[in-house]
């Protein structure tokens, strides 16, 4: 699941409505990265376990592009924007969500 892309504009959520969630399977000892395309503005992220089995932590990073036109480009984690739970304004751009689990069950974001 480490290659999953998330488009935050595709996640519906209206004020006063329950938060939308995206499910990920985080296995025991995993460190998984998920890319987020964010349109700018406030973003609230939290991780919860579907079962009481272990722990899950997360951190969001600004995506940093490296390389050039001749050799090709790649993206890696840049500046940390904060740990989960995260609730703050982010500029439009690409981000990585790093999730580390000691859980044997599915985590829900």
């Amino acid at each position: 699941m480490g290659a999953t892309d998330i488009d935050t504009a595709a996640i519906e959520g209206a004020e006063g409505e329950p938060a939308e969630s995206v499910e990920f399977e985080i296995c025991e000892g995993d460190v998984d990265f998920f890319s987020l395309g964010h349109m700018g503005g406030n973003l609230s992220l939290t991780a919860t376990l579907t079962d009481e089995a272990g722990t899950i932590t997360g951190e969001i990073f600004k995506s940093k592009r490296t390389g050039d036109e001749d050799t090709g480009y790649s993206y890696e984690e840049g500046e940390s924007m904060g740990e989960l739970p995260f609730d703050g304004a982010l500029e439009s751009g690409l981000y990585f969500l790093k999730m580390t689990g000691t859980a044997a069950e599915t985590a829900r974001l």
Side-chain angles (χ1 to χ4, degrees), residues 2-102:
T4 299
D5 294 319
I6 304 165
D7 179 0
T8 57
I11 300 174
E12 295 181 18
E15 195 167 324
E17 295 293 320
E20 291 287 326
S21 64
V22 178
E23 292 185 7
F24 300 106
E25 187 171 326
I26 306 294
C27 298
E28 180 84 30
D30 272 2
V31 177
D32 292 331
F33 286 84
F34 304 93
S35 63
L36 293 148
H38 183 58
M39 301 299 290
N42 196 64
L43 181 65
S44 294
L45 296 170
T46 187
T48 58
L49 297 173
T50 57
D51 291 320
E52 298 296 324
T55 61
I56 192 98
T57 60
E59 187 171 3
I60 188 164
F61 295 90
K62 178 79 172 165
S63 177
K64 181 172 80 173
R65 185 171 84 167
T66 60
D68 58 43
E69 202 171 286
D70 295 328
T71 61
Y73 296 101
S74 64
Y75 291 87
E76 58 189 47
E77 65 184 76
E79 178 186 358
S80 173
M81 308 312 298
E83 295 182 1
L84 297 186
F86 178 86
D87 188 5
L90 296 175
E91 62 185 41
S92 177
L94 298 174
Y95 295 87
F96 287 123
L97 176 60
K98 177 181 178 183
M99 297 188 73
T100 305
T102 62

